[in-house]
């Protein structure tokens, strides 16, 4: 036996399989076989290996690392191996002791099951057998497990059942299968769908810079790269709180314990704007914090994704936040290093790109096996060393995602949040979502284009300012700079912590966009009529525009009063100057 | 792990840097402590880093200098590295491995604890929210310290981080709570006079409740990987067994990181950045994450690690990885130092992530968050203007920009700078912040509300 950190090499006497889950030592620490060579197996151990000795037994399970799926997942916080953290508290108090093995779903809790079909029909994987009200907002559909096909012999009547009790039996070609509300699924295997659909519906987030400039589609992928303290986690929390998904799976992968605690304390008290219910009722948490074993960090991403896919299969829009995918990549690197594999860039294994591709490919808007529409969106934080975006994880991830929300250190230092760099960032969904916006808010696309153009122009002008100073510019250019500043400060900047500002409805976003756009349009006319720029910069209405974000969502319409105020003030100004 | 003491073994195969490889043994456990007896009968301590068939790789904390392959024996101790903790650690001085070095016998252990600790279950944590007044405006006003936070000081060679830490220790002692307040100080590779400065600070503050773990610059470097862990093991006992509020100051993490790198290099591991091993992030996290509060327990661990950024480079792996783990950072700046600003805290790259939940009505003042934001935005703009002025000349600046320039200067001279003995209350700090804002046109103050302006702007 050979032990180095989370990697253990043993001689096996029984047949073993790749990716098989095993138990190491009498303490039964959970591990997974990651390499087989002759009679030697290499195991990554998901728990602290301190104290393991040569000659300790290893027990095979014959099954790959899997999660349990069924009612009871929602509102729960799990570790990376889907063990409920609450069970650890019962077992060892505030500190996590290794070796805990607990059922992921409560085996004794009874759920009110309502059948949705009746015996006698032919069923196949994905069909809805019945429903359980899992939380006030999640109607859990009990599905025929994927790959099962046959005649429904028996379906349980309406009543209360545990996840272990039979609720149906299906006669397949070879045998009769009993179906319970719980089934297990290997975490590293994507769950099947009927077909993929184009992501063409926005995931509305209530975050102005995202919805308006760099939108995410339901079923889309996004990355948030940024140095420490630039706002990745706050952004992930914002999306988990306010986006219009049906279910959120939040994966804290190798990050701070307090951040998970924060979610746990806050989500029961925050209201989902869609349902009016506490956010925790539509949230599942997977926490493998930075001080928890590193190999389990690697697994936690897959655990979270599989839970998300399961709910997507019920026809829900699910969004997964993974904070931070860099820590997952580092776990890969650590294991790879201990295996003495040939590294590619910066010590990362050559298969980093493949793994990232597999991960983000599990996102998508799909037609489920039962013909419903569901989606799984993935938003991954990336923590580049030294904030340097040319590093391998950022670069590799970029190949597989379609939204790039790059966080900027300078914006973050000025406390301009979200610190998304407005020119380098992009969303490839903007185009795909055009039709949706045309159907819903026909003006949106035009306004968006105006902001994007103006911000690009601002970027070029800023270069010029750095050479000659702002005073040397013609008034028309000064105006463009000023308008860009209005966009940035009055619209793009949004505080995650101000109760009014943290979430903005589409209606309010639109009103704000109209106001700034109108200001610039009218001001440009006046500049053409030789009104000096400084007089426009002094208009009292400007300050009110700067503060319009503090108008509550419900009063969004009143923001449009500013349009008249702009007209009045500018008219008066023009008249006073007799232009 | 076994509790039996193993037999002494010979069979050293290799000595290499701080590492020792021993063969012909069986039953070594990963992470097990060993005792190494050198040719003169002196004892050193080590730990199993890797278990191989019939062999083990051991890191020797005191280094391998003077050891030979033939005449060295290794004894496996059958336990992980443990520290005997007790209330009597307070007031004592230990070496970097937790052995007394003040000439007194070891305090009798109430209980033995594995120095690696265990991960706090996120579900059992209590979210830190209690504001600690340090008396320093740049911290209290802009980057508030919260009880149970891990907030490092990022410094550079020759910058006054020790003075800042000493100032912080002196004032952070809450009146009326001194019975429940203790300091644990861990030194990794700092100089004797630096250690002396801290002792002095403890003495001045009248703090009796200090436990010190010292591994100084001339002491074995490998032992530094143990020092923060013994210090935190002591702190955990004081905080979570005895219910004390413990402020842990650990310095210097750059020296710590170098010790980790030394072992990794000797093992021939594939490095990630600048020769540091890829697991340095997890390693540092296993230290920093021990700070915090726990639901249902009354104590707390507030952690202030200090590190010197090599070459003042904040992207160097040690500050970088630290920033990715801790709940913010206080950054000292050489330019401010040259300008004579003391303490030379640059608030822009500084951050306190827990500030938002610990300030406001009921703890500091309701305008605190907005005011801090406004000061940040304005100071950032002042910096841009200053850079611009350096290129285009001050005359080319707009009227508003010139006022930002004036604001920036005044902010540094009056708000950030303060005397070593000047203990500012939070109200004084906030009022001072508002006074700084009078340098700017009122229309520029968009981060504060109109009501706040009416109420607070002088
Ligand atoms: N939208 C926002 N509104 C207000 N403040 C914000 C916002 N985003 C970030 N911040 C501030 O920035 C701090 C750092 O943000 P955050 O913790 O999200 O950084 P991070 O990028 O996740 O850093 P790390 O990589 O170290 O985890 C927060 O504590 C908060 O003070
Ligand atoms: Mg973060």
């Amino acid at each position: 036996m050979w032990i180095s950190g989370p990697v253990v090499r043993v001689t096996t006497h029984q047949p073993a399989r790749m990716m098989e889950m095993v138990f190491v030592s009498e303490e039964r620490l959970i591990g997974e076989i990651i390499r087989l060579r002759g009679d030697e197996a290499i195991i990554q151990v998901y728990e602290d290996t301190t104290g393991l000795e040569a000659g300790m037994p290893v027990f095979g399970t014959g099954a790959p690392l899997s999660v349990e799926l069924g009612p009871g997942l929602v509102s729960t916080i799990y570790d990376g191996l889907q063990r409920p953290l609450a069970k650890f508290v019962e077992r060892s108090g505030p500190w996590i002791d290794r070796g805990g093995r607990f059922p992921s779903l409560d085996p004794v809790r009874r759920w009110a099951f309502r059948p949705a079909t009746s015996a006698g029909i032919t069923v196949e994987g994905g069909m809805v057998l019945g429903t359980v009200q899992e939380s006030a907002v999640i109607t859990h559909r009990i599905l025929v497990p994927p790959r099962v096909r046959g005649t429904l012999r028996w379906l349980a009547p309406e009543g209360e059942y545990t996840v272990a009790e039979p609720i149906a039996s299906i006669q397949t070609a070879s045998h009769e299968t009993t179906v319970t509300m719980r089934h297990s699924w290997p975490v590293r295997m994507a769950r099947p769908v009927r077909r993929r659909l184009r992501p063409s519906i926005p995931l509305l987030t209530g975050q102005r810079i995202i919805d308006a400039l760099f939108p995410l589609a339901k079923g889309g992928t996004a990355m948030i790269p940024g140095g420490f303290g630039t706002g990745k986690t706050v952004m992930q929390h914002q999306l988990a709180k306010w986006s219009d998904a049906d279910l959120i799976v939040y994966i804290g992968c190798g990050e701070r314990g307090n951040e998970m605690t924060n979610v746990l304390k806050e989500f029961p008290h925050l209201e989902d704007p869609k349902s009016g219910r506490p956010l925790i009722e539509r949230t599942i948490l997977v926490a493998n914090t930075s001080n928890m074993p590193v190999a389990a960090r690697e697994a936690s991403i897959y655990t979270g994704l599989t839970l998300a896919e399961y709910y997507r299969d019920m026809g829900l829009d699910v969004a997964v936040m993974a904070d931070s995918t860099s820590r997952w990549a580092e776990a890969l690197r650590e294991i790879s290093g201990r295996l003495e594999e040939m590294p590619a860039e910066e010590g990362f294994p050559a298969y980093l790109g493949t793994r990232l591709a597999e991960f983000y490919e599990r996102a998508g808007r799909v037609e489920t096996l039962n013909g419903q529409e569901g989606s799984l969106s993935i938003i991954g934080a990336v923590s580049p060393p030294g904030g340097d975006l040319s590093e391998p994880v950022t670069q590799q991830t970029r190949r597989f995602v379609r939204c790039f929300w790059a966080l900027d250190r300078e914006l973050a230092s000025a406390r301009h949040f979200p610190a998304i760099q407005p020119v380098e960032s992009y969303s490839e969904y903007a185009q795909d979502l055009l039709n949706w916006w045309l159907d819903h808010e026909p003006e949106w696309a035009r306004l968006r284009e105006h902001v994007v153009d103006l911000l690009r122009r601002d970027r070029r002008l800023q270069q010029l300012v750095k050479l000659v100073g702002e005073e040397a510019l013609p008034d028309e250019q000064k105006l463009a700079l000023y308008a860009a500043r209005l966009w940035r400060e009055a619209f793009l900047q949004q505080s995650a912590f101000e109760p009014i500002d943290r979430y903005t409805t589409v209606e309010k976003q639109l009103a704000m966009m109209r106001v700034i756009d109108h200001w610039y349009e009218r001001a440009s006319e006046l500049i053409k009529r030789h009104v000096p720029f400084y007089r426009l910069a002094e208009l009292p209405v400007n300050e009110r525009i700067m503060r319009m974000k503090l108008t509550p969502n419900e009063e969004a319409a009143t923001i449009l009063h500013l349009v008249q105020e702009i007209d009045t003030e500018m008219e008066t100004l023009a008249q006073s100057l007799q232009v | 792990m076994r509790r039996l003491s193993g037999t002494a073994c010979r069979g050293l195969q290799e000595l290499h840097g701080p590492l020792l490889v021993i063969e012909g043994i069986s039953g070594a456990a990963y992470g097990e402590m060993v005792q190494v007896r050198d040719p003169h009968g002196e004892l050193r301590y080590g730990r199993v880093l890797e278990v191989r068939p019939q062999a083990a790789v051991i890191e020797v904390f005191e280094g391998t200098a003077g050891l030979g392959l033939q005449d060295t024996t290794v004894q496996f101790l059958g336990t992980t590295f443990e520290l005997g903790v007790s209330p009597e650690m307070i007031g004592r001085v230990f070496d970097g491995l937790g052995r007394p070095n003040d000439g007194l016998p070891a305090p009798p252990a109430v209980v033995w604890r594995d120095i690696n600790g265990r991960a706090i279950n996120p579900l059992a944590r209590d979210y830190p929210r209690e504001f600690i007044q340090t008396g320093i405006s740049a911290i209290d006003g802009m980057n508030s310290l919260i009880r149970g936070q891990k907030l490092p000081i990022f410094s550079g060679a020759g910058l006054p981080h020790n003075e800042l830490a000493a100032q912080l220790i002196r004032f952070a002692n809450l009146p009326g709570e001194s019975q429940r307040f203790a300091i644990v100080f861990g030194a990794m590779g700092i100089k004797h006079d630096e250690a002396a400065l801290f002792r002095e600070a403890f003495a001045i503050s009248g703090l009796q409740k200090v436990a010190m773990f010292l591994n100084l610059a001339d002491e074995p470097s490998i032992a530094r990987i143990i020092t923060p862990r013994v210090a935190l093991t002591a702190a955990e006992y004081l905080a979570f067994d005895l219910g004390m509020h413990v402020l842990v100051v650990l310095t210097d993490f750059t020296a710590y990181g170098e010790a980790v790198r030394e072992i990794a290099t000797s093992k021939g591991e594939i490095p990630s950045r600048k020769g540091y091993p890829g697991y340095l992030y997890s390693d540092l996290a296993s230290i920093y994450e021990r700070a915090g509060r726990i639901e249902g327990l009354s104590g707390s661990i507030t952690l202030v690690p200090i590190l010197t950024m090599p070459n003042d480079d904040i992207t160097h792996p040690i500050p970088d990885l630290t920033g990715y783990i801790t709940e913010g950072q206080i950054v000292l700046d050489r330019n401010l130092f040259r300008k004579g600003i003391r303490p030379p805290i640059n608030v822009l790259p500084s951050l306190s992530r827990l500030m938002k939940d610990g300030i406001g009505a009921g703890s500091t003042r309701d305008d605190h968050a907005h005011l801090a934001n406004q000061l940040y935005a304005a100071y950032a703009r002042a910096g841009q203007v200053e850079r611009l002025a350096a290129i285009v000349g001050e005359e080319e600046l707009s009227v508003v920009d010139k006022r930002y320039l004036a604001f920036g200067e005044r902010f540094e001279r009056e708000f950030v700078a303060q005397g070593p003995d000047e203990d500012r209350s939070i109200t004084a700090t906030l009022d001072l912040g508002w006074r700084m804002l009078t340098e700017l046109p009122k229309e520029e103050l968009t981060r504060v509300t109109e009501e706040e302006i009416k109420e607070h702007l002088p």
Side-chain angles (χ1 to χ4, degrees), chain A residues 221-226 322 324-330 332 345 348 351-361 378-384 389-405 426 428-429:
Chain A
T221 49
M223 69 189 283
I224 316 179
S324 155
T325 59
S326 293
R327 306 301 166 217
W328 166 76
E330 284 162 12
L332 278 186
E345 284 169 282
F348 286 103
Y351 47 81
L352 173 67
T354 324
R355 294 286 171 87
L356 281 166
E358 283 166 6
F359 171 68
Y360 284 105
E361 275 305 297
I378 302 182
I379 300 120
V382 180
S383 317
L389 299 191
S390 68
E391 60 90 37
V393 182
T394 312
Q395 285 307 319
Q396 294 283 4
T397 306
R398 223 173 151 157
R399 296 166 55 202
F400 311 115
V401 302
R402 295 185 61 203
C403 279
F404 183 75
W405 299 330
Y426 57 79
E428 293 176 9
Y429 297 110

Side-chain angles (χ1 to χ4, degrees), chain A residues 207 224-236 238 255-256 259 323-324 327 381-383 407 412 415-419 494-498, chain B residues 281 320 322-329 351-356 373:
Chain A
Q207 309 306 301
I224 316 179
F228 61 81
T230 49
K232 298 179 291 297
T233 303
V234 172
M235 180 54 78
Q236 297 268 39
Q238 285 294 91
E255 293 289 310
R256 301 172 185 83
E259 289 172 349
D323 186 11
S324 155
R327 306 301 166 217
V382 180
S383 317
L407 301 185
R415 272 41 174 188
H416 178 107
F417 290 113
Q494 183 173 6
S495 168
F497 309 122
E498 298 279 340
Chain B
Y281 173 83
D320 190 51
T322 297
Y324 271 122
I325 302 163
T326 51
E327 286 146 349
Q329 62 279 335
L351 168 70
S352 164
R353 294 166 197 257
L354 301 186
M355 172 170 176
K356 60 180 193 302
N373 261 333

Side-chain angles (χ1 to χ4, degrees), chain B residues 55 63 73 112 121 127 140 149 160 198 268 282 292 296 309 312 325 349 363 389 423 437:
Chain B
T73 57
W112 289 81
N121 190 327
Y127 196 72
D140 293 350
Q149 184 171 20
F198 278 101
S282 304
M309 301 181 279
D312 292 349
I325 302 163
S363 75
D423 185 2
L437 290 179

Side-chain angles (χ1 to χ4, degrees), chain B residues 147-388:
Chain B
R147 183 165 273 173
Q149 184 171 20
K150 37 188 178 292
L151 187 65
I153 298 175
F154 286 10
S155 184
L159 295 181
H161 45 270
N162 292 331
E163 288 77 359
L164 177 63
Q167 195 167 356
L168 211 132
I169 289 165
R170 243 180 302 147
F171 298 143
N173 179 14
L174 284 193
E177 282 216 324
S178 55
Q179 278 312 306
R180 285 183 60 209
F181 185 78
I183 289 177
V184 171
F185 178 72
M188 299 161 280
I190 66 168
K191 296 188 286 282
H192 283 268
D193 52 346
E194 291 178 282
L197 183 109
F198 278 101
R199 286 187 203 229
E200 216 172 281
F202 299 143
I204 294 175
S205 64
L207 281 169
Q208 259 87 66
K209 301 204 161 155
V210 185
M212 297 216 210
F213 297 85
L214 305 178
N215 168 288
L216 300 183
D218 54 358
E219 292 176 297
S221 64
I222 300 305
R224 281 167 208 163
I225 61 172
I226 297 299
T227 311
R229 295 185 164 86
V230 289
L232 281 160
T233 304
E236 277 172 353
Y237 174 74
L238 299 175
F240 302 126
D241 287 58
L242 303 185
M244 305 183 82
H245 292 301
V246 186
L247 176 65
V248 181
V249 178
L250 297 173
T251 179
D252 172 339
F253 265 93
T254 306
Y256 171 85
E258 280 160 1
V260 174
R261 177 168 65 178
E262 195 178 332
I263 294 167
T265 318
S266 303
K267 271 187 79 190
E269 287 171 340
I270 304 158
S272 61
R273 281 175 71 222
K274 296 214 159 120
Y276 291 91
Y279 50 78
L280 185 58
Y281 173 83
S282 304
D283 183 278
L284 288 171
S286 72
I287 297 173
Y288 297 146
E289 276 287 317
R290 290 170 80 168
R293 307 201 67 155
I294 291 176
E295 208 153 85
L297 299 182
S298 57
S300 65
I301 294 181
T302 308
L303 178 58
V304 179
I306 301 174
L307 59 88
T308 46
M309 301 181 279
N311 219 354
D312 292 349
D313 177 9
I314 197 167
T315 69
H316 180 279
I318 305 284
D320 190 51
L321 294 175
T322 297
Y324 271 122
I325 302 163
T326 51
E327 286 146 349
Q329 62 279 335
I330 303 293
V331 183
L332 302 191
D333 183 289
R334 201 165 298 278
N335 280 331
L336 290 178
F337 183 69
R338 289 205 186 106
K339 281 192 202 168
I341 308 295
R342 302 284 183 285
I345 296 175
N346 186 350
V347 297
L348 292 181
S350 301
L351 168 70
S352 164
R353 294 166 197 257
L354 301 186
M355 172 170 176
K356 60 180 193 302
D357 297 296
I359 61 167
S363 75
T364 57
R365 211 166 71 186
D366 54 1
D367 57 315
H368 191 164
H370 289 169
L371 172 65
N373 261 333
Q374 181 66 68
L375 291 169
Y376 269 115
Y379 186 57
R381 175 95 183 262
Q384 285 163 3
V385 173
E386 199 182 321
R387 284 193 292 276
L388 183 62

Side-chain angles (χ1 to χ4, degrees), chain B residues 125-138:
Chain B
R125 279 184 189 268
D126 199 359
Y127 196 72
R129 303 179 171 278
E130 211 180 319
F131 173 80
I132 300 180
Q133 181 171 309
T134 67
I136 302 164
S137 292

